[in-house]
Amino acid sequence: MSVCVACKKHLVLDIDFSDDDEDTSMGGSSSAQPTKQVPDDVHLSCGCHFHWDCLLESYTIDSCPACNTALIRPTPNGGQQILCTLSNEGGVQENLDILPLLMEEAYLKAYPEETKARAFLEFCRAGDLTAIVEMIQDSAESEGDDEEMDEGEGEGEGQHGSTVDWLRYQDPIGDMQSGLHAAVAAGSREVVWLLLLMASTLDLQAFPPQVFQEAEVLGIMRPTDSEMEGKVDIRTLRDASGRSAEDVARENGGLWAEWIGNGRLVL
């Protein structure tokens, strides 16, 4: 059996079961095993095997940390990829491109203060309204505590030394895409309306009544003019190609046809 070239241990992961998972409803103890072993094998194209965490701790992105073989290969569209066979609890995935995951992990290791902002982007890309609402609610609850922190402690300092504004965050390893770009690309009108409500100065009359009704139910309030002072309107953000969210909407068409040219997505 192959072993991880980094730690020399078998390519499995032990998952612990907590006491809460045990069935003690009848006063007896559970017969379940305290741990469960699942596969944990990243088989790179060079032939080396790693545990996922071991690879993250030692990789150098472009080459294998064990044998130094170049791993990056071109994609059909001119991009780059690192292909592997991944075996884990979910099964076996062959020819899986893990370059985006490795780049994400490397960036977060270098800039851990941007973890929240990057999670927000992923929620926008997935059209996960519930998760974004929870982030907004959590931020509102912690606002008082943040104000009491010393300068620079709040939500963290970004790579350029400024406080991370996760609602207006642009992805430095993803073509400078904003949450609004991501939500439009995902075809999520609910998320787009929420972002416009919370991070733009779009006239209130431009919003459908149900947006305010849902916001009230969720306990979300639009920032006041004083709270918005000095903050960028999310509609002005452009990606690395100079595209606004409206440009993305125009490229995707379909449900965004009625959004073009009315100022909803670009200022």
Side-chain angles (χ1 to χ4, degrees), residues 7-227:
C7 69
K8 309 304 181 184
K9 296 181 180 179
H10 292 306
L11 295 161
V12 293
L13 178 67
D14 291 329
I15 298 179
D16 293 325
F17 290 91
S18 67
D19 292 339
D20 293 338
D21 294 330
E22 297 179 356
D23 183 6
T24 58
S25 59
M26 298 301 291
S29 60
S30 170
S31 59
Q33 295 296 318
T35 62
K36 174 185 178 182
Q37 283 193 337
V38 298
D40 182 17
D41 180 7
V42 184
H43 185 190
L44 299 176
S45 58
C46 60
C48 294
H49 294 259
F50 288 86
H51 295 114
W52 177 250
D53 284 344
C54 289
L55 178 61
L56 293 182
E57 290 176 1
S58 58
Y59 84 101
T60 56
I61 294 184
D62 58 343
S63 61
C64 174
C67 67
N68 206 35
T69 299
L71 297 175
I72 292 182
R73 298 288 184 270
T75 63
N77 61 3
Q80 295 181 322
Q81 61 185 352
I82 293 180
L83 299 179
C84 75
T85 297
L86 177 66
S87 301
N88 56 23
E89 189 174 11
V92 179
Q93 300 179 69
E94 298 183 352
N95 294 318
L96 177 67
D97 179 15
I98 58 173
L99 181 57
L101 293 173
L102 294 177
M103 292 179 64
E104 176 78 8
E105 292 290 346
Y107 189 85
L108 288 177
K109 185 180 293 186
Y111 305 107
E113 68 277 6
E114 298 185 24
T115 299
K116 181 177 181 179
R118 301 198 64 78
F120 163 70
L121 277 182
E122 290 305 313
F123 294 147
C124 290
R125 288 169 179 150
D128 193 338
L129 179 69
T130 300
I132 297 172
V133 167
E134 289 177 354
M135 289 187 69
I136 292 173
Q137 292 171 333
D138 289 345
S139 292
E141 291 174 0
S142 61
E143 184 176 350
D145 293 336
D146 289 343
E147 291 177 352
E148 296 177 1
M149 291 182 179
D150 292 335
E151 183 179 357
E153 290 184 352
E155 290 187 30
E157 296 296 315
Q159 60 174 318
H160 301 298
S162 59
T163 301
V164 178
D165 182 349
W166 55 269
L167 275 172
R168 297 165 179 81
Y169 181 77
Q170 292 182 264
D171 189 354
I173 59 174
D175 296 326
M176 296 304 290
Q177 188 180 64
S178 71
L180 189 59
H181 287 90
V184 170
S188 178
R189 281 183 290 190
E190 286 185 318
V191 171
V192 167
W193 278 123
L194 177 63
L195 297 183
L196 292 176
L197 183 68
M198 301 303 297
S200 84
T201 57
L202 181 64
D203 193 291
L204 295 178
Q205 294 182 354
F207 290 85
Q210 57 265 35
V211 172
F212 301 109
Q213 294 167 3
E214 293 176 9
E216 183 177 1
V217 170
L218 295 169
I220 293 175
M221 297 181 61
R222 191 182 203 192
T224 63
D225 290 343
S226 61
E227 291 172 332

